[in-house]
Amino acid sequence: MSRHPFAGRAGAVIAVMTLALATPAAASDSDSSGLHESGGLRDSSGLRDSGGLHDSEWALTALKAERAWKISKGAGVTVAVIGTGVDASHPDLRGRVVRGKDFAGGTGGFGTRDGGKAAEQSTHAAGIIAGTGRNYRGDGVYGLAPKAKVMPLGVYRDGKPLADPTAKAIRHAVDHGVRVIDLAVNFKRPTPALRSAVKYAVGKDAVIVAGAGDNGKIGNRPTYPAAFPGVVAVVATDKKGAVWTSSHHGGKTLLAAPGVAILTTSGDNDYWTGDGTGFAAPWVAAGAALLRSEHPRWNANQVVQKLIDTADRKGSSGHDPRYGYGVIAPAKALADRAAPPASAELSAPRGHPSATPDAAAPKTEGDESALVTIGVVAGVLVVLAILAVVLISRRRPPDNSHHG
């Protein structure tokens, strides 16, 4: 080392720089949402007693929910959830479920009981949208729009959704002032009544969201209402951002959202972890609720276009048959306050948000300065490494191999 003092110093500086480089990155990860992923739980049993419910909502971390909540929590917006009915007595949903209606004679009453099978319950969607997290002293399940409300509309009978009651439920929702609808149903064939109801809701300025379908491995045929014009068809992604293998894919898909290993509320004051596009669509409905709360004058197309413009895309800025226009980024959508053209039809995003810094991060959090610091340090490291190599090569003894 005594032969190459500058090289030794360079190595020490590089080590210090590397440590400094790692420190702000770690801080950035911990501050991004205040939530911590507990890792791929497939069963909610035991979580209620271990305090692991809130920590297991990986999707909230991925969607940067706490950054979004600094701007909007969905107050003043009601989301209609059309499906099996919602268990309004669940501790994480109390005070968030308004009077609804049953259209199929399944749950009866006002839709505030959930008679669906475990994997199909609309209570799951309600928790994803408007869960308050109040259970277990604040460690329950949170939704993306925790101050929004849910209107449950039942359309199931004998364990199956019915198309005509679904059409009536759509009309009922918009006639009662609802401007965001989550359709927790799908049908193999369209019906005239269903098509007409969707068209009616679009004309009433409603954002209509539905899972694209879970048939990607079994024929991949379009399902309805997701395939109707005007409906935001959503595919499911996993913790790594990859599209769930069973998601329907094709030209009708519009956006993607977390839909694998999603922990949420369930009937009988319980919790459930599930996969599917039906678990992905409520995140998009909740994202629309956040925007409608923050921008009450925006029309439905403006809300959806903002979700498209700010979505995190894979590669191309255009439409991808598997991801649609990308995974929703509600914090980024809220931070980008520029209103899309009011009269424009939904279109490919203008620009490429995934190639730009996260606009949702307040400047006080230091994200932008951290990026600049990382760039400067990386440049310094490269220069120091080059100088060290040059000095070492200059001090290298002559090669005497050619001299006897």
Side-chain angles (χ1 to χ4, degrees):
M1 291 182 65
S2 60
R3 290 186 181 182
H4 310 289
F6 183 82
R9 290 192 201 107
V13 171
I14 289 171
V16 172
M17 290 287 193
T18 302
L19 179 61
L21 183 63
T23 303
S28 174
D29 287 343
S30 64
D31 292 342
S32 63
S33 68
L35 303 177
H36 306 282
E37 184 179 322
S38 63
L41 295 167
R42 305 301 303 159
D43 187 346
S44 60
S45 60
L47 288 173
R48 287 168 290 172
D49 297 326
S50 67
L53 287 172
H54 187 40
D55 291 346
S56 298
E57 291 190 89
W58 70 267
L60 289 180
T61 304
L63 297 175
K64 296 181 172 62
E66 289 198 356
R67 289 186 181 178
W69 293 341
K70 291 177 181 177
I71 302 172
S72 172
K73 291 186 176 181
V77 176
T78 298
V79 180
V81 176
I82 298 178
T84 61
V86 172
D87 183 359
S89 67
H90 194 289
D92 287 330
L93 294 174
R94 286 176 188 161
R96 291 292 176 263
V97 183
V98 303
R99 176 172 172 167
K101 188 175 181 179
D102 177 62
F103 289 88
T107 61
F110 304 121
T112 53
R113 296 193 301 273
D114 195 330
K117 296 177 183 177
E120 298 175 340
Q121 293 179 355
S122 292
T123 303
H124 303 333
I128 292 169
I129 294 166
T132 64
R134 291 175 182 161
N135 205 11
Y136 305 109
R137 297 181 180 180
D139 194 50
V141 162
Y142 284 82
L144 182 58
K147 288 194 175 180
K149 294 193 175 180
V150 168
M151 176 187 286
L153 301 174
V155 297
Y156 269 68
R157 184 187 299 162
D158 299 327
K160 295 181 179 180
L162 304 179
D164 285 351
T166 299
K168 293 177 181 177
I170 293 171
R171 290 177 177 272
H172 176 90
V174 294
D175 286 344
H176 286 76
V178 172
R179 293 297 177 263
V180 180
I181 299 173
D182 176 59
L183 288 159
V185 296
N186 64 76
F187 303 96
K188 293 181 179 179
R189 298 179 183 84
T191 68
L194 199 56
R195 186 186 300 273
S196 175
V198 168
K199 186 176 181 180
Y200 178 76
V202 169
K204 292 285 188 178
D205 193 39
V207 176
I208 311 166
V209 183
D214 300 346
N215 59 2
K217 289 182 175 179
I218 49 173
N220 197 46
R221 296 184 63 181
T223 60
Y224 301 88
F228 283 135
V231 177
V232 180
V234 183
V235 299
T237 56
D238 63 19
K239 293 182 180 181
K240 295 182 179 180
V243 172
W244 184 50
T245 54
S246 292
S247 282
H248 174 81
H249 49 273
K252 299 293 185 181
T253 60
L254 198 67
L255 288 166
V260 177
I262 301 301
L263 175 66
T264 184
T265 50
S266 182
D268 298 324
N269 297 342
D270 210 341
Y271 296 90
W272 182 264
T273 304
D275 307 334
T277 61
F279 287 84
W283 296 113
V284 177
L290 296 178
L291 285 170
R292 300 222 89 158
S293 175
E294 183 66 12
H295 302 286
R297 295 180 180 274
W298 286 12
N299 64 34
N301 273 11
Q302 288 176 294
V303 169
V304 177
Q305 187 65 56
K306 182 59 67 177
L307 292 174
I308 290 173
D309 287 345
T310 55
D312 291 328
R313 270 168 286 287
K314 301 289 182 179
S316 170
S317 62
H319 185 275
D320 181 270
R322 296 196 66 85
Y323 284 90
Y325 288 118
V327 181
I328 63 163
K332 200 183 293 186
L334 286 164
D336 182 359
R337 302 189 65 82
S343 59
E345 294 297 321
L346 295 180
S347 62
R350 297 173 295 278
H352 197 325
S354 63
T356 63
D358 187 352
K363 293 184 179 180
T364 55
E365 292 186 14
D367 284 7
E368 292 181 5
S369 61
L371 289 173
V372 172
T373 301
I374 289 171
V376 171
V377 171
V380 171
L381 291 178
V382 171
V383 172
L384 289 176
I386 292 172
L387 287 173
V389 170
V390 170
L391 287 174
I392 290 170
S393 64
R394 286 183 176 179
R395 298 295 298 270
R396 186 177 296 156
D399 187 354
N400 297 320
S401 61
H402 297 293
H403 302 280

